Coordinates of all heavy atoms in Angstrom, one line a residue:
M19 N -25.3 -29.0 5.0 CA -25.6 -28.7 6.4 C -27.0 -28.1 6.6 O -27.4 -27.3 5.8 CB -24.6 -27.7 7.0 CG -23.4 -28.4 7.7 SD -22.1 -27.3 8.1 CE -22.8 -26.5 9.5
A20 N -27.6 -28.5 7.6 CA -29.0 -28.0 7.9 C -28.9 -26.6 8.3 O -27.9 -26.2 9.0 CB -29.7 -28.9 8.9
K21 N -29.9 -25.8 7.9 CA -29.9 -24.4 8.3 C -30.3 -24.3 9.8 O -31.1 -25.0 10.3 CB -31.0 -23.7 7.5 CG -30.4 -23.3 6.1 CD -31.4 -22.3 5.4 CE -30.9 -21.9 4.1 NZ -31.9 -21.1 3.4
N22 N -29.5 -23.4 10.4 CA -29.8 -23.1 11.8 C -31.0 -22.2 11.9 O -30.9 -21.0 11.6 CB -28.6 -22.5 12.5 CG -28.7 -22.4 14.0 OD1 -29.7 -23.0 14.6 ND2 -27.8 -21.7 14.7
K23 N -32.2 -22.7 12.3 CA -33.4 -21.9 12.3 C -33.5 -21.0 13.5 O -34.3 -20.0 13.4 CB -34.6 -22.9 12.2 CG -34.8 -23.5 10.8 CD -36.1 -24.3 10.8 CE -36.2 -24.9 9.4 NZ -37.4 -25.9 9.4
S24 N -32.8 -21.3 14.5 CA -33.0 -20.5 15.7 C -32.4 -19.1 15.5 O -31.2 -18.9 15.1 CB -32.3 -21.1 16.9 OG -30.9 -21.2 16.7
K25 N -33.2 -18.1 15.8 CA -32.7 -16.7 15.6 C -32.1 -16.3 17.0 O -32.5 -16.8 18.0 CB -33.9 -15.8 15.3 CG -34.3 -15.9 13.8 CD -35.4 -14.9 13.5 CE -35.8 -15.1 12.0 NZ -36.9 -14.2 11.7
R26 N -31.2 -15.3 16.8 CA -30.6 -14.8 18.0 C -31.6 -14.0 18.8 O -32.3 -13.1 18.3 CB -29.4 -13.9 17.7 CG -28.1 -14.6 17.7 CD -27.0 -13.6 17.7 NE -25.7 -14.2 17.3 CZ -24.6 -13.6 17.1 NH1 -24.6 -12.3 17.1 NH2 -23.5 -14.3 16.7
K27 N -31.6 -14.2 20.1 CA -32.5 -13.4 20.9 C -32.0 -12.0 21.0 O -30.8 -11.8 21.2 CB -32.6 -14.0 22.4 CG -33.8 -15.0 22.5 CD -33.9 -15.4 24.0 CE -35.0 -16.4 24.1 NZ -35.2 -16.8 25.6
K28 N -32.9 -11.1 20.9 CA -32.4 -9.7 21.0 C -32.2 -9.3 22.5 O -33.1 -9.5 23.3 CB -33.5 -8.7 20.4 CG -32.8 -7.4 20.1 CD -33.8 -6.3 19.9 CE -33.0 -5.0 19.7 NZ -33.7 -3.9 20.3
I29 N -31.0 -8.9 22.8 CA -30.7 -8.4 24.1 C -30.4 -6.9 24.1 O -29.5 -6.5 23.4 CB -29.5 -9.2 24.7 CG1 -29.8 -10.7 24.7 CG2 -29.1 -8.7 26.1 CD1 -28.6 -11.6 24.9
N30 N -31.2 -6.2 24.9 CA -31.0 -4.8 24.9 C -29.6 -4.4 25.5 O -29.2 -5.1 26.5 CB -32.1 -4.1 25.6 CG -33.4 -4.1 24.9 OD1 -33.4 -4.0 23.7 ND2 -34.5 -4.3 25.6
K31 N -29.0 -3.4 25.0 CA -27.7 -2.9 25.6 C -28.0 -2.3 27.0 O -29.1 -1.7 27.2 CB -27.1 -1.9 24.7 CG -26.5 -2.5 23.5 CD -25.9 -1.4 22.6 CE -25.3 -2.0 21.4 NZ -24.9 -1.0 20.4
P32 N -27.1 -2.5 27.9 CA -27.3 -2.0 29.3 C -27.4 -0.4 29.2 O -26.6 0.2 28.4 CB -26.1 -2.5 30.1 CG -25.1 -2.8 29.0 CD -25.8 -3.2 27.8
T33 N -28.1 0.1 30.1 CA -28.3 1.6 30.1 C -27.0 2.2 30.6 O -26.4 1.7 31.5 CB -29.4 1.9 31.1 OG1 -30.5 1.1 30.8 CG2 -29.8 3.4 31.0
S34 N -26.6 3.3 29.9 CA -25.4 4.0 30.3 C -25.6 4.6 31.7 O -26.7 5.2 32.0 CB -25.2 5.1 29.3 OG -24.1 6.0 29.8
K35 N -24.7 4.4 32.6 CA -24.8 4.9 33.9 C -23.9 6.2 34.1 O -23.5 6.5 35.2 CB -24.4 3.8 34.9 CG -25.4 2.7 34.9 CD -25.0 1.6 35.9 CE -26.1 0.5 36.0 NZ -26.1 -0.4 34.8
K36 N -23.7 6.9 33.0 CA -22.9 8.1 33.2 C -23.6 9.2 33.9 O -22.9 10.0 34.5 CB -22.5 8.6 31.8 CG -21.2 8.1 31.3 CD -20.6 8.8 30.1 CE -19.3 8.3 29.8 NZ -18.7 8.8 28.6
Y37 N -24.9 9.1 34.0 CA -25.6 10.2 34.7 C -25.2 10.1 36.2 O -25.4 11.1 36.9 CB -27.1 10.0 34.5 CG -27.7 8.8 35.2 CD1 -28.1 8.8 36.5 CD2 -27.8 7.6 34.4 CE1 -28.7 7.7 37.1 CE2 -28.3 6.5 35.0 CZ -28.7 6.5 36.3 OH -29.3 5.4 36.9
K38 N -24.7 9.0 36.7 CA -24.4 8.9 38.1 C -23.2 9.7 38.5 O -23.0 10.0 39.7 CB -24.1 7.4 38.4 CG -25.4 6.6 38.5 CD -25.1 5.2 39.0 CE -26.4 4.4 39.2 NZ -26.1 3.0 39.7
F39 N -22.4 10.2 37.5 CA -21.2 11.0 37.8 C -21.6 12.4 37.9 O -20.7 13.2 38.2 CB -20.2 10.8 36.7 CG -19.6 9.4 36.7 CD1 -19.9 8.5 35.6 CD2 -18.8 9.0 37.7 CE1 -19.4 7.2 35.6 CE2 -18.2 7.7 37.6 CZ -18.6 6.8 36.6
F40 N -22.8 12.8 37.7 CA -23.2 14.2 37.8 C -24.2 14.3 38.9 O -25.2 13.5 39.0 CB -23.9 14.7 36.5 CG -23.0 14.6 35.3 CD1 -23.0 13.5 34.5 CD2 -22.1 15.7 35.0 CE1 -22.1 13.4 33.4 CE2 -21.3 15.6 33.9 CZ -21.3 14.5 33.1
T41 N -24.0 15.3 39.8 CA -25.0 15.6 40.8 C -25.4 17.1 40.7 O -24.5 17.9 40.6 CB -24.4 15.3 42.2 OG1 -23.1 16.0 42.3 CG2 -24.2 13.9 42.5
I42 N -26.6 17.3 40.6 CA -27.1 18.7 40.4 C -27.5 19.2 41.8 O -28.3 18.6 42.5 CB -28.4 18.7 39.5 CG1 -27.9 18.2 38.1 CG2 -29.0 20.1 39.4 CD1 -29.1 17.8 37.2
S43 N -26.9 20.4 42.1 CA -27.3 21.0 43.4 C -27.6 22.5 43.0 O -26.8 23.3 42.7 CB -26.1 21.0 44.3 OG -24.9 21.6 43.8
G44 N -28.9 22.7 43.1 CA -29.4 24.1 42.7 C -29.2 24.3 41.2 O -29.7 23.6 40.4
D45 N -28.5 25.4 40.9 CA -28.3 25.7 39.5 C -27.0 25.1 39.0 O -26.8 25.0 37.8 CB -28.2 27.2 39.4 CG -29.5 27.9 39.6 OD1 -30.5 27.2 39.5 OD2 -29.6 29.1 39.9
S46 N -26.1 24.7 39.9 CA -24.8 24.2 39.4 C -24.8 22.7 39.3 O -25.5 22.0 40.0 CB -23.7 24.7 40.3 OG -23.9 24.2 41.6
V47 N -23.9 22.2 38.4 CA -23.8 20.7 38.2 C -22.4 20.3 38.8 O -21.4 20.9 38.4 CB -23.9 20.3 36.7 CG1 -23.7 18.8 36.6 CG2 -25.3 20.8 36.2
K48 N -22.4 19.4 39.7 CA -21.1 18.9 40.2 C -20.7 17.6 39.4 O -21.6 16.7 39.2 CB -21.2 18.6 41.6 CG -21.1 19.8 42.5 CD -21.1 19.4 44.0 CE -20.9 20.6 44.9 NZ -20.9 20.2 46.3
R49 N -19.5 17.6 38.9 CA -19.0 16.4 38.2 C -18.0 15.6 39.0 O -17.3 16.2 39.8 CB -18.3 16.9 36.9 CG -19.3 17.5 35.9 CD -18.5 18.3 34.8 NE -19.5 19.1 34.0 CZ -19.9 20.3 34.3 NH1 -19.6 20.9 35.4 NH2 -20.8 20.9 33.5
A50 N -18.1 14.3 38.8 CA -17.1 13.4 39.4 C -15.7 13.7 38.9 O -15.6 14.4 37.9 CB -17.5 12.0 39.3
R51 N -14.7 13.1 39.5 CA -13.4 13.3 39.1 C -13.2 12.7 37.7 O -13.5 11.5 37.4 CB -12.4 12.6 40.0 CG -12.3 13.3 41.3 CD -10.9 13.3 41.9 NE -9.9 13.7 40.8 CZ -8.7 13.2 40.8 NH1 -8.3 12.4 41.7 NH2 -7.9 13.5 39.8
A52 N -12.6 13.5 36.8 CA -12.4 13.1 35.4 C -10.9 12.6 35.3 O -10.1 13.0 36.1 CB -12.7 14.2 34.4
C53 N -10.6 11.8 34.3 CA -9.3 11.3 34.0 C -8.4 12.5 33.5 O -8.7 13.1 32.6 CB -9.3 10.2 33.0 SG -7.7 9.6 32.7
P54 N -7.3 12.7 34.2 CA -6.3 13.7 33.7 C -5.7 13.4 32.3 O -5.3 14.3 31.6 CB -5.3 13.8 34.8 CG -5.3 12.5 35.5 CD -6.8 12.0 35.4
R55 N -5.7 12.2 32.0 CA -5.1 11.8 30.7 C -6.1 11.9 29.6 O -5.9 12.4 28.5 CB -4.6 10.4 30.7 CG -3.1 10.3 31.1 CD -2.6 8.9 30.8 NE -1.9 8.3 31.9 CZ -1.5 7.0 31.9 NH1 -1.8 6.2 31.0 NH2 -0.8 6.6 33.0
C56 N -7.3 11.4 29.8 CA -8.4 11.3 28.8 C -9.1 12.6 28.7 O -9.8 12.9 27.7 CB -9.3 10.2 29.1 SG -8.5 8.6 29.1
G57 N -9.1 13.4 29.8 CA -9.8 14.7 29.8 C -11.2 14.5 30.3 O -11.7 13.5 30.7
P58 N -12.0 15.6 30.2 CA -13.4 15.6 30.7 C -14.2 14.7 29.9 O -14.1 14.5 28.7 CB -13.8 17.1 30.6 CG -12.9 17.7 29.6 CD -11.6 17.0 29.7
G59 N -15.2 14.0 30.6 CA -16.0 13.1 29.9 C -15.7 11.7 30.3 O -16.5 10.8 30.2
I60 N -14.4 11.4 30.6 CA -14.0 10.1 31.0 C -13.8 10.2 32.5 O -12.9 10.9 33.0 CB -12.7 9.7 30.3 CG1 -12.9 9.8 28.8 CG2 -12.3 8.2 30.7 CD1 -13.9 8.9 28.1
F61 N -14.6 9.4 33.2 CA -14.5 9.5 34.7 C -13.8 8.4 35.3 O -13.6 7.3 34.7 CB -15.9 9.6 35.3 CG -16.7 10.8 34.8 CD1 -17.6 10.7 33.8 CD2 -16.5 12.0 35.4 CE1 -18.3 11.8 33.3 CE2 -17.2 13.1 35.0 CZ -18.1 13.0 34.0
L62 N -13.2 8.6 36.5 CA -12.5 7.6 37.2 C -13.4 6.7 38.0 O -14.3 7.2 38.7 CB -11.4 8.3 38.1 CG -10.3 9.1 37.3 CD1 -9.5 9.8 38.4 CD2 -9.5 8.3 36.4
M63 N -13.1 5.4 38.0 CA -13.7 4.5 38.9 C -13.2 4.7 40.3 O -11.9 4.8 40.5 CB -13.5 3.1 38.5 CG -14.1 2.1 39.4 SD -13.2 0.5 39.4 CE -11.9 0.9 40.5
I64 N -14.0 4.9 41.3 CA -13.5 5.1 42.7 C -13.6 3.9 43.5 O -14.7 3.3 43.7 CB -14.4 6.3 43.3 CG1 -14.4 7.5 42.5 CG2 -13.8 6.6 44.7 CD1 -13.0 8.2 42.3
A65 N -12.5 3.4 43.9 CA -12.4 2.3 44.9 C -12.0 2.8 46.2 O -11.8 4.0 46.4 CB -11.4 1.2 44.4
K66 N -11.9 2.0 47.2 CA -11.7 2.5 48.6 C -10.3 3.1 48.8 O -10.1 4.0 49.6 CB -12.0 1.4 49.6 CG -11.0 0.2 49.5 CD -11.3 -0.7 50.7 CE -10.3 -1.9 50.6 NZ -10.5 -2.8 51.8
D67 N -9.4 2.6 48.0 CA -8.0 3.1 48.1 C -7.4 3.7 46.8 O -6.3 4.0 46.8 CB -7.1 2.1 48.7 CG -7.1 0.8 47.8 OD1 -8.0 0.7 47.0 OD2 -6.1 0.0 47.9
R68 N -8.2 3.7 45.8 CA -7.6 4.2 44.5 C -8.7 4.7 43.6 O -9.9 4.3 43.7 CB -6.8 3.1 43.8 CG -7.6 2.0 43.2 CD -6.8 0.7 43.1 NE -7.7 -0.4 43.3 CZ -8.3 -1.0 42.3 NH1 -8.2 -0.5 41.1 NH2 -9.2 -2.0 42.6
A69 N -8.3 5.5 42.6 CA -9.2 5.9 41.5 C -8.6 5.4 40.2 O -7.4 5.5 40.0 CB -9.2 7.4 41.5
Y70 N -9.4 4.8 39.4 CA -8.9 4.1 38.2 C -9.7 4.5 36.9 O -10.9 4.6 37.0 CB -9.1 2.6 38.4 CG -8.7 1.7 37.3 CD1 -7.4 1.5 36.9 CD2 -9.7 1.1 36.5 CE1 -7.0 0.7 35.9 CE2 -9.3 0.3 35.5 CZ -8.0 0.1 35.1 OH -7.6 -0.7 34.1
C71 N -8.9 4.7 35.8 CA -9.6 5.0 34.6 C -9.6 3.7 33.7 O -8.6 3.1 33.5 CB -8.8 6.1 33.8 SG -9.4 6.3 32.1
G72 N -10.8 3.3 33.3 CA -11.0 2.1 32.6 C -10.6 2.2 31.1 O -10.4 1.2 30.4
K73 N -10.3 3.5 30.7 CA -10.0 3.7 29.2 C -8.5 3.6 29.0 O -8.0 2.9 28.1 CB -10.5 5.0 28.8 CG -10.6 5.1 27.3 CD -11.1 6.5 26.9 CE -11.0 6.6 25.3 NZ -11.3 8.0 24.9
C74 N -7.7 4.3 29.9 CA -6.3 4.3 29.7 C -5.5 3.7 30.8 O -4.3 3.7 30.9 CB -5.8 5.8 29.5 SG -5.9 6.8 31.0
H75 N -6.3 3.1 31.8 CA -5.7 2.4 32.9 C -4.9 3.3 33.8 O -3.9 2.8 34.5 CB -4.8 1.2 32.5 CG -5.5 0.3 31.5 ND1 -6.7 -0.4 31.8 CD2 -5.3 0.1 30.2 CE1 -7.1 -1.0 30.7 NE2 -6.2 -0.8 29.7
Y76 N -5.3 4.5 33.8 CA -4.6 5.5 34.8 C -5.1 5.2 36.2 O -6.3 5.0 36.4 CB -5.0 6.9 34.4 CG -4.6 7.9 35.4 CD1 -3.3 8.5 35.4 CD2 -5.6 8.4 36.3 CE1 -3.0 9.5 36.3 CE2 -5.2 9.4 37.2 CZ -3.9 9.9 37.2 OH -3.6 10.9 38.1
T77 N -4.2 5.0 37.1 CA -4.5 4.7 38.5 C -4.0 5.8 39.4 O -2.8 6.2 39.3 CB -4.0 3.3 38.9 OG1 -4.2 2.4 37.8 CG2 -4.7 2.8 40.2
E78 N -4.8 6.2 40.3 CA -4.4 7.2 41.3 C -4.7 6.6 42.7 O -5.8 6.3 43.0 CB -5.2 8.5 41.1 CG -4.5 9.7 41.6 CD -5.2 11.0 41.1 OE1 -6.2 11.3 41.7 OE2 -4.7 11.6 40.1
F79 N -3.6 6.5 43.5 CA -3.8 6.0 44.8 C -4.2 7.0 45.8 O -3.6 8.1 45.8 CB -2.6 5.2 45.3 CG -2.3 4.0 44.5 CD1 -1.5 4.0 43.4 CD2 -2.9 2.8 44.9 CE1 -1.3 2.9 42.6 CE2 -2.7 1.6 44.1 CZ -1.9 1.7 43.0
V80 N -5.1 6.7 46.7 CA -5.6 7.7 47.7 C -5.1 7.3 49.0 O -5.2 6.2 49.4 CB -7.2 7.7 47.7 CG1 -7.7 8.7 48.7 CG2 -7.7 8.0 46.3
G81 N -4.5 8.3 49.7 CA -4.0 8.0 51.1 C -2.6 7.5 51.1 O -2.0 7.4 52.2
K82 N -2.1 7.1 50.0 CA -0.8 6.5 50.0 C 0.1 7.4 49.1 O -0.4 8.0 48.1 CB -0.8 5.1 49.4 CG -1.3 4.1 50.4 CD -1.3 2.7 49.7 CE -1.8 1.7 50.6 NZ -1.9 0.3 50.0
P83 N 1.4 7.5 49.3 CA 2.2 8.3 48.4 C 2.3 7.7 47.0 O 2.2 6.5 46.9 CB 3.6 8.3 49.1 CG 3.5 7.1 50.0 CD 2.1 6.9 50.4
T84 N 2.5 8.5 46.0 CA 2.5 8.1 44.7 C 3.8 7.2 44.5 O 4.8 7.4 45.2 CB 2.6 9.3 43.7 OG1 3.6 10.1 44.1 CG2 1.3 10.0 43.7
P85 N 3.7 6.2 43.5 CA 4.9 5.3 43.3 C 6.2 6.1 43.0 O 7.3 5.6 43.5 CB 4.4 4.5 42.1 CG 3.0 4.6 42.1 CD 2.6 5.9 42.7
T86 N 6.1 7.2 42.3 CA 7.3 7.9 42.0 C 7.9 8.5 43.3 O 9.2 8.5 43.4 CB 7.0 9.1 41.0 OG1 5.9 9.8 41.6 CG2 6.6 8.5 39.7
A87 N 7.1 8.9 44.2 CA 7.6 9.5 45.4 C 8.3 8.4 46.3 O 9.4 8.7 46.9 CB 6.5 10.1 46.2
V88 N 7.8 7.2 46.2 CA 8.4 6.1 47.0 C 9.8 5.8 46.4 O 10.8 5.6 47.1 CB 7.5 4.8 46.9 CG1 8.2 3.6 47.6 CG2 6.2 5.1 47.6
K89 N 9.9 5.8 45.0 CA 11.1 5.4 44.4 C 12.2 6.5 44.8 O 13.4 6.1 45.0 CB 10.9 5.4 42.9 CG 10.3 4.1 42.4 CD 10.1 4.2 40.9 CE 9.4 3.0 40.4 NZ 9.1 3.1 39.0
V90 N 11.8 7.7 44.8 CA 12.8 8.8 45.1 C 13.3 8.6 46.5 O 14.5 8.7 46.8 CB 12.1 10.2 45.0 CG1 13.0 11.3 45.5 CG2 11.8 10.4 43.5
E91 N 12.4 8.2 47.4 CA 12.8 8.0 48.8 C 13.8 6.9 49.0 O 14.8 7.0 49.7 CB 11.5 7.7 49.7 CG 10.8 9.0 50.0 CD 9.5 8.7 50.8 OE1 9.4 7.6 51.3 OE2 8.6 9.6 50.8
T92 N 13.5 5.8 48.3 CA 14.4 4.6 48.4 C 15.8 4.9 47.8 O 16.8 4.5 48.4 CB 13.8 3.4 47.6 OG1 13.4 3.8 46.3 CG2 12.6 2.8 48.4
K93 N 15.8 5.7 46.7 CA 17.1 6.1 46.2 C 17.9 6.9 47.2 O 19.1 6.8 47.3 CB 16.9 6.9 44.9 CG 16.7 6.0 43.7 CD 16.4 6.8 42.4 CE 16.1 5.9 41.2 NZ 15.8 6.7 40.1
E94 N 17.2 7.8 47.8 CA 17.9 8.7 48.8 C 18.5 7.9 50.0 O 19.5 8.1 50.5 CB 16.9 9.8 49.3 CG 16.7 10.9 48.3 CD 15.7 11.9 48.7 OE1 15.1 11.7 49.8 OE2 15.5 12.8 48.0
V95 N 17.7 6.8 50.4 CA 18.2 6.0 51.5 C 19.4 5.2 51.1 O 20.4 5.1 51.8 CB 17.0 5.0 51.9 CG1 17.6 4.0 52.9 CG2 15.9 5.8 52.5
K96 N 19.4 4.7 49.8 CA 20.6 4.0 49.3 C 21.9 4.8 49.3 O 23.0 4.4 49.6 CB 20.3 3.4 48.0 CG 19.5 2.1 48.0 CD 19.2 1.6 46.6 CE 18.2 0.4 46.7 NZ 17.8 0.0 45.3
K97 N 21.7 6.1 48.9 CA 22.8 7.0 48.8 C 23.3 7.3 50.2 O 24.5 7.4 50.4 CB 22.3 8.3 48.1 CG 22.3 8.2 46.6 CD 21.8 9.5 46.0 CE 21.7 9.4 44.5 NZ 21.2 10.6 43.9
A98 N 22.4 7.4 51.1 CA 22.8 7.7 52.5 C 23.7 6.6 53.1 O 24.6 6.8 53.9 CB 21.6 8.0 53.4
K99 N 23.3 5.3 52.8 CA 24.1 4.2 53.3 C 25.5 4.1 52.8 O 26.4 3.8 53.5 CB 23.3 2.9 53.0 CG 22.1 2.6 53.9 CD 21.4 1.3 53.5 CE 20.2 1.1 54.4 NZ 19.4 -0.1 54.0
K100 N 25.7 4.5 51.5 CA 27.0 4.5 50.9 C 27.8 5.6 51.6 O 28.9 5.5 51.9 CB 26.9 4.8 49.4 CG 26.5 3.5 48.7 CD 26.3 3.8 47.2 CE 25.8 2.6 46.5 NZ 25.6 2.9 45.0
Ligands
ZN10 ZN1 -8.0 7.8 31.2

């Protein structure tokens, strides 16, 4: 087989955008919401209706009741009908 003479083009890694999660106001540093499972340093992605962790797939819904709360409510309704 002929040797592949073309070398791979060097592509620089994208710049880390973690600095966007920190806002400095005066002397104090404000941090964005961190993941409760992964701990500080792992930040949640903020969407319009939820917060999501890309590392452990932890999702937190904003403005809506948590899925566990909904399940409890439905169970209570079923019991009431019986
Ligand atoms: Zn996480």
Side-chain angles (χ1 to χ4, degrees):
M19 268 172 72
K21 278 187 180 178
N22 190 9
K23 283 182 182 176
S24 62
K25 285 182 180 177
R26 264 193 197 174
K27 268 189 179 179
K28 200 198 175 213
I29 300 163
N30 290 323
K31 284 178 181 172
T33 313
S34 171
K35 290 182 177 76
K36 267 197 176 170
Y37 68 90
K38 284 187 175 179
F39 293 109
F40 298 93
T41 48
I42 298 166
S43 56
D45 292 339
S46 59
V47 178
K48 280 186 177 180
R49 290 165 188 86
R51 287 220 46 211
C53 177
R55 268 196 227 167
C56 301
I60 308 297
F61 297 100
L62 297 174
M63 178 209 80
I64 305 296
K66 62 174 181 177
D67 59 340
R68 73 205 145 87
Y70 175 74
C71 172
K73 196 182 178 189
C74 71
H75 311 297
Y76 170 85
T77 317
E78 203 168 80
F79 290 94
V80 179
K82 286 180 182 177
T84 51
T86 50
V88 174
K89 279 178 186 175
V90 172
E91 279 176 20
T92 50
K93 277 180 185 176
E94 283 175 357
V95 171
K96 280 178 184 175
K97 280 179 185 176
K99 281 180 182 175
K100 282 176 184 175

